[in-house]
Amino acid sequence: MLGVLPHLRSNPIRTFLDAADRYGDLVHMKVGPYHGLLLCDPAHIRHVLQDNARNYHKSPLFDRLREVVGNGLLTSEDSFWLRQRRLAQPAFHRQRLIAMADAMVGCTGEMLERWDRIAARGETIDLVEEMMALTQTIIVRTMFSTDLGAAAEVVHRTWPIINRRIGETFWATKLERTLPMPANRRFWRALRELEAVVYQIIGERRRAGRDEPDLLSMFLSARDEETGAGMDDRQLRDEVVTMLLAGHETTSLALSWTYYLLSQHPDVERSIAGEVERVIGDRRPSFTDIERLTITRRALDESLRLYPPAWGFSRQALGDDEIGGYRLRKGWLVFTIPYVVHRRPKLWPDPERFDPGRFTPEQESVRPKFAYIPFGGGPRGCIGNQFALTEATLIIATIAQRYRIELVPDQQIRPEPLITLRPAPGIRAVLKRRESPTGRALQ
Ligand code: HEM
């Protein structure tokens, strides 16, 4: 009766991986009351995410996320979503990215000053926490032109509680999610605290009446074409929570996984440091450096292949459809799981091997586009992908100018699939100051 639901609850990634290994690129699954198809063929994924995207909504599994982000850009649908997407789009244009790149480097510089004190004391860092705090500062400064001050601690503390609870109850029954058990109460309390911070961001801007060239101003000044009304506080809250969460967690995990992989591939780590020295030297990194940081970018792309922070997402069919010759009925779910697609041996030979060489232009040109989906694709693809890649590349470069990150030995780190894919239980690392400004160890 429950189909694969018990397996998904205990180990979703293994369940999807085994299904694809055993049955191939298109697998029918019974998940509790739903029928679902797991898609691994890029042509089928393209069909659902792009060519016939109108026939699909986000699946009911996104309802868990709706409890937190409400009806924001990630979860809204149809004409309402399209209007919000068009409103937000200018905040991600290239000209804005160039301006934001400098803030990204600035925030990283502030972190490095703190790291200097940590390194001087010979202490280790929790890399995941550090990357989370950094990308959080960046998203707030670039999109909302503010610093959270003391409230930063609240976001930092509450989001992991919220993320964990949603991840753990993803496949749970309504009863399990609504009973006033300690775990649920902790979740509700964390959500209220996070919400208070968001209302603080909105309230401060309203009171100050400033007009910044940022996302918050775009949302605040938006007017409905017919009624002339602005966005109400609830909608603003939903959009700000969405950007705050979608805009920092994923990128920070991409960085953590990249450092995890580099620690196992010191040759690639050295090449990156050498590239940073050649391209940037000791000066402040900038947006225009990025296109020349090809080794760095390819390592990041490969890290997003092996450990896609958004490891899986799903849709629900609004009407009957046909995929690869199979009938799909209205109401059925479709699972697109980057973690699994990125490991299909047909698309990615020797899939577990870390090989940034997969991302040379020659290799990329022969691979189907939807074989690589860390940012999804089609109209609902990630609005922040260029922002994230710019941010992650600049952070890696800025850190590489001063430190090599070495993992504390003998840690058992495993991917934990909550809403996002986290390195559990965390990553402890040592900061190794480079000998010369960008490292004599480079050769
Ligand atoms: C490495 C970093 C990131 C990854 C892996 C990632 C991944 C994704 C994926 C897979 C989706 C599509 C989900 C689906 O189709 O159901 C998505 C959507 C979205 N992402 Fe990202 N993301 C990243 C960074 C960012 C950043 C930096 C921002 C904002 C500044 C952002 C904001 C959003 C929003 C608002 C959506 C919903 C877009 C829409 O439906 O119109 N993401 N992201």
Side-chain angles (χ1 to χ4, degrees):
M1 252 170 66
L2 294 173
V4 293
L5 188 61
H7 302 282
L8 283 176
R9 284 180 74 148
S10 67
N11 194 340
I13 283 191
R14 179 81 349 245
T15 308
F16 286 127
L17 271 177
D18 285 351
D21 277 352
R22 210 181 290 173
Y23 304 110
D25 281 339
L26 197 152
V27 187
H28 171 260
M29 297 177 147
K30 187 83 191 342
V31 183
Y34 295 105
H35 286 270
L37 290 185
L38 169 66
L39 302 185
C40 293
D41 183 325
H44 301 161
I45 296 172
R46 181 194 161 113
H47 175 84
V48 170
L49 294 186
Q50 184 164 298
D51 301 343
N52 200 22
R54 281 172 184 276
N55 188 45
Y56 295 88
H57 272 176
K58 301 270 169 144
S59 85
L61 295 173
F62 277 83
D63 290 349
R64 296 291 78 71
L65 211 53
R66 278 197 185 92
E67 290 170 26
V68 179
V69 298
N71 198 34
L73 203 50
L74 190 63
T75 41
S76 54
E77 297 288 359
D78 302 325
S79 56
F80 182 79
W81 160 78
L82 186 60
R83 193 190 74 171
Q84 298 298 94
R85 173 104 185 187
R86 287 190 177 141
L87 273 178
Q89 200 73 55
F92 295 90
H93 283 168
R94 193 182 149 87
Q95 282 313 313
R96 286 292 307 138
L97 272 185
I98 294 173
M100 292 189 286
D102 197 55
M104 293 166 180
V105 173
C107 293
T108 312
E110 287 165 25
M111 178 188 75
L112 288 178
E113 279 171 30
R114 196 164 45 75
W115 280 14
D116 288 346
R117 293 193 290 278
I118 294 175
R121 291 196 298 268
E123 291 169 5
T124 61
I125 55 166
D126 181 329
L127 190 64
V128 181
E129 293 273 310
E130 290 288 333
M131 293 299 110
M132 206 70 82
L134 174 59
T135 54
Q136 187 185 304
T137 311
I138 291 176
I139 198 73
V140 173
R141 214 175 275 181
T142 52
M143 292 289 157
F144 313 130
S145 309
T146 184
D147 278 328
L148 289 178
E153 179 275 328
V154 178
V155 181
H156 201 65
R157 180 169 46 78
T158 54
W159 171 235
I161 300 173
I162 294 169
N163 187 8
R164 176 158 300 279
R165 191 65 196 145
I166 301 179
E168 284 170 354
T169 56
F170 219 66
W171 315 93
T173 60
K174 191 164 180 195
L175 191 67
E176 285 171 273
R177 286 184 285 109
T178 47
L179 279 177
M181 296 178 306
N184 284 335
R185 293 198 352 209
R186 245 192 329 274
F187 166 69
W188 296 325
R189 206 167 36 240
L191 187 55
R192 277 198 304 275
E193 280 188 74
L194 180 72
E195 223 165 26
V197 173
V198 167
Y199 279 123
Q200 177 193 320
I201 296 176
I202 298 170
E204 269 172 14
R205 176 67 64 86
R206 278 224 167 101
R207 274 192 301 281
R210 298 197 309 271
D211 195 23
E212 299 278 354
D214 66 5
L215 184 73
L216 188 55
S217 283
M218 285 170 197
F219 282 141
L220 277 167
S221 58
R223 292 290 171 269
D224 189 283
E225 275 178 17
E226 282 163 22
T227 64
M231 253 185 243
D232 61 25
D233 266 10
R234 176 72 208 185
Q235 188 58 37
L236 270 171
R237 171 249 178 245
D238 290 353
E239 299 298 359
V240 172
V241 175
T242 298
M243 281 300 166
L244 180 63
L245 301 184
H248 89 275
E249 154 97 0
T250 41
T251 317
S252 79
L253 294 177
L255 284 159
S256 296
W257 283 119
T258 303
Y259 283 114
Y260 167 76
L261 287 163
L262 291 181
S263 76
Q264 297 168 345
H265 301 275
D267 51 328
V268 181
E269 195 275 333
R270 276 195 296 276
S271 310
I272 290 177
E275 176 175 80
V276 171
E277 184 166 63
R278 266 193 323 279
V279 173
I280 312 179
D282 292 340
R283 68 173 165 74
R284 188 180 169 95
S286 73
F287 184 82
T288 46
D289 294 322
I290 293 175
E291 60 181 355
R292 290 193 293 150
L293 296 173
T294 47
I295 301 172
T296 312
R297 253 308 295 277
R298 284 175 202 163
L300 185 62
D301 288 341
E302 177 68 341
S303 156
L304 285 166
R305 179 184 74 83
L306 278 170
Y307 297 107
W311 63 271
F313 43 90
S314 49
R315 296 288 188 269
Q316 185 170 35
L318 300 176
D320 293 356
D321 198 358
E322 193 182 303
I323 299 180
Y326 289 87
R327 273 300 280 283
L328 172 114
R329 304 226 171 255
K330 175 181 174 182
W332 281 27
L333 307 185
V334 173
F335 298 105
T336 37
I337 313 294
Y339 191 93
V340 177
V341 178
H342 294 174
R343 282 173 168 75
R344 296 302 287 156
K346 248 189 314 189
L347 302 167
W348 307 94
D350 196 4
E352 291 296 339
R353 189 163 56 88
F354 174 74
D355 175 13
R358 299 181 202 268
F359 291 89
T360 58
E362 302 75 52
Q363 294 265 337
E364 284 194 303
S365 67
V366 293
R367 211 166 26 236
K369 190 167 156 233
F370 283 73
Y372 185 61
I373 47 169
F375 294 103
R380 300 303 302 256
C382 180
I383 197 172
N385 66 342
Q386 289 308 321
F387 180 102
L389 292 170
T390 302
E391 178 184 22
T393 311
L394 287 174
I395 289 173
I396 294 172
T398 312
I399 292 176
Q401 286 180 313
R402 202 178 305 179
Y403 284 107
R404 186 165 59 79
I405 293 175
E406 201 177 276
L407 264 57
V408 170
D410 301 326
Q411 296 180 77
Q412 297 293 324
I413 296 162
R414 57 184 173 81
E416 184 182 26
L418 298 172
I419 310 174
T420 48
L421 195 65
R422 293 186 145 227
I427 301 179
R428 286 233 71 87
V430 183
L431 299 167
K432 297 281 181 183
R433 183 104 194 184
R434 294 202 188 275
E435 295 294 314
S436 68
T438 43
R440 198 176 305 139
L442 310 180
Q443 283 110 44

